[in-house]
Amino acid sequence: MVLKTGVGESSLSCRCLTLCVSVQLSVQQRVFNIANELLHTEIGYVSKLHLLDQVFCARLLEEARSRSSFPCDVVQGIFSNICSIYCFHQQFLLPALQKRMEEWDSNPRIGDILQKLAPFLKMYGEYVKNFDRAMELVNTWMERSAQFKAIIQEIQREERCGNLTLQHHMLEPVQRIPRYELLLKDYLHRLPEDAPDYRDAQKSLELIATAAEHSNAAIRKMERMRKLLKVYELLGGEEDIVNPTNELIKEGHILKLSNKNGTTQDRYLILFNDRLLYCVPKLRLIGQKYGVRARIDVEGMELKETSSVAVPRTFLVSGKQRSLELQASGVSGYCNENNGNEFFFSSISQSCVELGKRAPTPIREKEVTLCMKCQEPFNSITKRRHHCKACGHVVCGKCSEFRARLSYDNNRTNRVCIDCYATLVGVSPSPKQASLAAENSVICSFLHHMEKGGGRGWQKAWFVIPENEPLVLYIYGAPQDVKAQRSVPLIGFEVSLPESCDRLERRHAFKISQSHLTLYFSAEGEELQRRWMDILSRAGRGEEPQVHRPIVESLEEEGEELAAEEEGENT
């Protein structure tokens, strides 16, 4: 009897062991499947980038340069930095993934690869920001140039295009980073927390989420400008509102109560972050527009609800320029068309409240799934919830990384969102200046530069390669500028001296080339030329260069040493 029990226990243990092994294999198989999907989608994506860069862009540039059927600037405006994106994926990310999948049995991980290369995905921000303009250029020149249209249609008829338009293929880069984020989230979800790749994969997800934010920020900025342009057209182009500092908060129909007889008149309100526009219908031949009857500054504006049984849904707006008593035509009319659960009253009221004087009523975190500023979804890893201590909104860490003193909290500094910071402090958070970036740079100096086929001559600018982004070249107009004119991801570029066919007349010149993009540079001296070429060559190969002292400091010290030597000779 004992013997039988022992045999039964042994059999049960074997089955449990088999089940555990099966589960483990299942987890490993799922992880492998996700990594394999990443590789295969990357192969397909690189072929799309090849089609955009080496086929569409290359043929259009060839036509523009050889026959001048249309300007080269048009082609470059359409494809933006697609050549840099293609080079990065084709020469670096795809080969790294292919090699890793070949050795998966001995090294089952992808997090380390993505962690190293994910920072370069920020280059997508430039492409996304330019996307709307690119679409407009394609549409415009399809109508304006028969040769432009013929080339596009000829390529679109090729089998590799899959009966899809150029515009459709140009959407691929916009949609790619969110695809990486989804695949990596799934990979991390399947990966055991004690797996060797878990920490690298987690860090990769944070970096890719940052790259997605970079692109999404450009998309949101375009969307805000699009809304401003829509209102600008609604007002017949008579109001100066198309400005990056302006933000459209609410707009919609409202009824105005007459002071004389209490009758109502149809009006249109447009609320910005700094003003309220009170508009009246204005009939025109091209359709109904609105004229601005009054402009009321949000600063100093007061709001009071005046509803009664006889006259419901009314409120009084009292500003420096004018006071208005307004009424909604009904519950649906009282609500903004774009957001049915908010009223004009609450929107204007929130704009008028003096922040920091009274503790806000915080919104419950569980009731909010998106950041109330950037609209990005929250998650427990890269997008955690925070409360703005001034307005009470639930926002992400990036949108609440600011500190301001609040009078209701004994004037102590508190975490606030970006909008409240601008209101409380009086200035918007400023971007890093070129001079500050130069303090922590691999190298920086003035150079003259020119783009091949760009149609512009030599220009002088301030160039910086930051320590924290050693494979990206930033171009500023001057060291005091707060925003770079252009950023160039250096990975994949080849550095060389000019050839006789380049026909450059400047001394100490060199060039960097990638696909059909060539940039020429000219340094002030031979030593400066050598240092730039060395650092750019390393960056082009994907190697992080050694940190040099900023070239400005070196030149100053060399000048001081030379002056000291001359002074010694004179004495």
Side-chain angles (χ1 to χ4, degrees):
M1 185 70 181
V2 173
L3 181 62
K4 289 182 180 179
T5 305
V7 171
E9 288 177 353
S10 175
S11 176
L12 181 62
S13 299
C14 288
R15 286 198 299 271
C16 290
L17 181 62
T18 302
L19 181 62
C20 289
V21 170
S22 176
V23 170
Q24 188 175 5
L25 286 174
S26 177
V27 170
Q28 291 176 350
Q29 185 62 42
R30 288 177 181 177
V31 169
F32 170 80
N33 290 343
I34 296 169
N36 200 41
E37 183 182 356
L38 176 60
L39 171 62
H40 281 86
T41 58
E42 186 69 13
I43 292 172
Y45 179 56
V46 168
S47 69
K48 297 290 186 184
L49 292 176
H50 179 272
L51 180 64
L52 287 171
D53 182 53
Q54 298 294 307
V55 182
F56 278 107
C57 184
R59 289 197 195 174
L60 289 170
L61 272 178
E62 182 183 2
E63 174 68 23
R65 288 169 176 167
S66 61
R67 298 185 179 86
S68 301
S69 303
F70 39 84
C72 290
D73 288 349
V74 170
V75 183
Q76 291 162 350
I78 290 172
F79 294 97
S80 185
N81 62 335
I82 195 68
C83 63
S84 297
I85 295 173
Y86 169 61
C87 181
F88 166 73
H89 288 271
Q90 192 259 344
Q91 295 185 22
F92 293 90
L93 184 52
L94 178 57
L97 290 174
Q98 288 173 324
K99 182 181 179 183
R100 183 55 52 83
M101 294 309 295
E102 290 172 0
E103 59 185 28
W104 184 264
D105 290 340
S106 60
N107 192 15
R109 58 194 304 174
I110 57 172
D112 57 334
I113 294 174
L114 295 176
Q115 183 179 347
K116 179 182 178 181
L117 298 177
F120 299 102
L121 297 178
K122 286 191 290 185
M123 70 175 75
Y124 277 79
E126 184 177 339
Y127 183 88
V128 174
K129 184 169 61 175
N130 185 67
F131 187 75
D132 271 10
R133 175 173 175 264
M135 293 293 102
E136 291 175 4
L137 284 172
V138 171
N139 295 332
T140 298
W141 284 92
M142 287 283 282
E143 296 177 359
R144 186 177 295 179
S145 171
Q147 191 59 25
F148 183 95
K149 183 177 181 178
I151 293 173
I152 297 296
Q153 291 182 337
E154 180 186 347
I155 298 172
Q156 288 176 167
R157 284 193 291 269
E158 295 181 13
E159 185 177 349
R160 56 183 161 180
C161 275
N163 294 320
L164 297 174
T165 64
L166 167 62
Q167 292 92 324
H168 184 95
H169 292 296
M170 288 176 68
L171 272 171
E172 290 283 341
V174 177
Q175 300 167 338
R176 186 58 183 168
I177 293 185
R179 178 67 172 165
Y180 287 135
E181 193 172 10
L182 289 173
L183 283 171
L184 197 51
K185 281 180 180 178
D186 196 17
Y187 178 80
L188 199 59
H189 177 69
R190 305 287 183 185
L191 202 64
E193 291 190 10
D194 59 349
D197 199 28
Y198 190 85
R199 184 161 295 186
D200 284 339
Q202 195 173 40
K203 181 63 177 176
S204 301
L205 180 57
E206 293 175 6
L207 293 169
I208 289 175
T210 300
E213 287 177 8
H214 192 74
S215 294
N216 288 334
I219 294 173
R220 289 193 300 273
K221 183 177 179 181
M222 287 189 298
E223 184 60 31
R224 286 198 299 268
M225 291 300 292
R226 189 181 295 112
K227 289 179 179 179
L228 290 175
L229 284 167
K230 183 179 177 182
V231 173
Y232 179 77
E233 293 172 359
L234 191 71
L235 300 177
E238 297 177 359
E239 192 73 14
D240 183 19
I241 57 173
V242 185
N243 188 304
T245 61
N246 286 345
E247 181 181 356
L248 178 64
I249 298 174
K250 299 288 179 186
E251 61 170 311
H253 291 275
I254 202 80
L255 295 177
K256 165 69 169 62
L257 286 177
S258 172
N259 294 329
K260 294 182 180 180
N261 52 25
T263 58
T264 58
Q265 301 164 317
D266 182 36
R267 295 292 182 261
Y268 200 80
L269 286 187
I270 305 172
L271 177 63
F272 295 95
N273 55 315
D274 62 344
R275 77 193 86 167
L276 175 68
L277 299 183
Y278 168 65
C279 309
V280 297
K282 195 172 183 180
L283 291 175
R284 292 188 176 182
L285 294 175
I286 58 173
Q288 189 179 38
K289 300 288 184 180
Y290 291 91
V292 178
R293 179 67 60 84
R295 302 166 185 81
I296 304 174
D297 294 338
V298 167
E299 184 180 358
M301 184 190 296
E302 295 181 357
L303 207 64
K304 182 180 180 182
E305 195 164 4
T306 58
S307 298
S308 64
V309 176
V311 188
R313 304 180 302 276
T314 61
F315 57 96
L316 178 69
V317 178
S318 178
K320 296 176 182 178
Q321 293 84 2
R322 182 166 177 176
S323 294
L324 304 167
E325 189 169 12
L326 306 170
Q327 180 190 35
S329 57
V331 175
S332 61
Y334 200 38
C335 298
N336 180 267
E337 296 173 3
N338 298 324
N339 197 340
N341 65 349
E342 291 186 349
F343 302 90
F344 256 125
F345 181 86
S346 62
S347 301
I348 301 174
S349 178
Q350 189 174 356
S351 301
C352 303
V353 169
E354 294 186 53
L355 290 172
K357 298 289 182 68
R358 181 182 299 177
T361 303
I363 298 171
R364 293 178 182 175
E365 291 186 359
K366 293 182 179 180
E367 296 177 356
V368 183
T369 60
L370 304 177
C371 172
M372 298 177 72
K373 294 300 175 184
C374 68
Q375 305 302 311
E376 289 294 307
F378 289 116
N379 61 65
S380 58
I381 300 175
T382 60
K383 276 282 187 186
R384 300 182 62 186
R385 295 171 173 83
H386 300 275
H387 271 111
C388 171
K389 301 301 183 182
C391 67
H393 283 185
V394 181
V395 291
C396 66
K398 190 172 183 64
C399 292
S400 61
E401 59 183 6
F402 312 98
R403 297 291 185 273
R405 297 184 182 277
L406 304 177
S407 57
Y408 77 79
D409 191 25
N410 295 322
N411 216 33
R412 288 194 287 259
T413 56
N414 282 264
R415 175 191 287 268
V416 297
C417 66
I418 184 171
D419 292 338
C420 290
Y421 178 88
T423 302
L424 292 164
V425 179
V427 294
S428 298
S430 58
K432 184 180 290 187
Q433 293 184 0
S435 57
L436 297 179
E439 292 178 5
N440 300 295
S441 66
V442 177
I443 187 173
C444 61
S445 76
F446 280 108
L447 293 172
H448 283 82
H449 69 108
M450 178 176 65
E451 181 174 342
K452 182 178 181 180
R456 304 177 69 179
W458 289 97
Q459 293 179 300
K460 188 176 182 179
W462 177 255
F463 290 80
V464 179
I465 298 181
E467 280 185 28
N468 60 348
E469 292 182 273
L471 305 182
V472 182
L473 176 67
Y474 286 90
I475 306 175
Y476 294 86
Q480 295 77 23
D481 287 358
V482 298
K483 185 178 180 182
Q485 298 175 347
R486 182 178 182 182
S487 61
V488 181
L490 297 170
I491 198 165
F493 272 97
E494 294 184 358
V495 183
S496 63
L497 293 170
E499 301 172 14
S500 57
C501 61
D502 291 316
R503 297 178 181 178
L504 301 183
E505 298 178 356
R506 298 191 67 89
R507 297 181 62 194
H508 311 304
F510 57 97
K511 67 180 181 179
I512 61 175
S513 305
Q514 179 193 91
S515 186
H516 40 257
L517 175 64
T518 300
L519 299 175
Y520 298 108
F521 302 92
S522 172
E524 294 298 324
E526 186 176 346
E527 173 61 17
L528 183 58
Q529 176 199 38
R530 185 193 64 77
R531 288 178 62 179
W532 271 106
M533 290 184 68
D534 177 61
I535 291 171
L536 290 171
S537 296
R538 291 173 179 270
R541 296 191 297 269
E543 303 172 6
E544 294 192 4
Q546 296 178 349
V547 177
H548 291 250
R549 288 176 302 164
I551 191 68
V552 173
E553 295 178 10
S554 301
L555 293 176
E556 286 177 353
E557 291 181 9
E558 289 173 7
E560 290 173 1
E561 291 173 1
L562 182 61
E565 289 176 5
E566 291 178 351
E567 185 177 348
E569 290 175 1
N570 293 334
T571 56

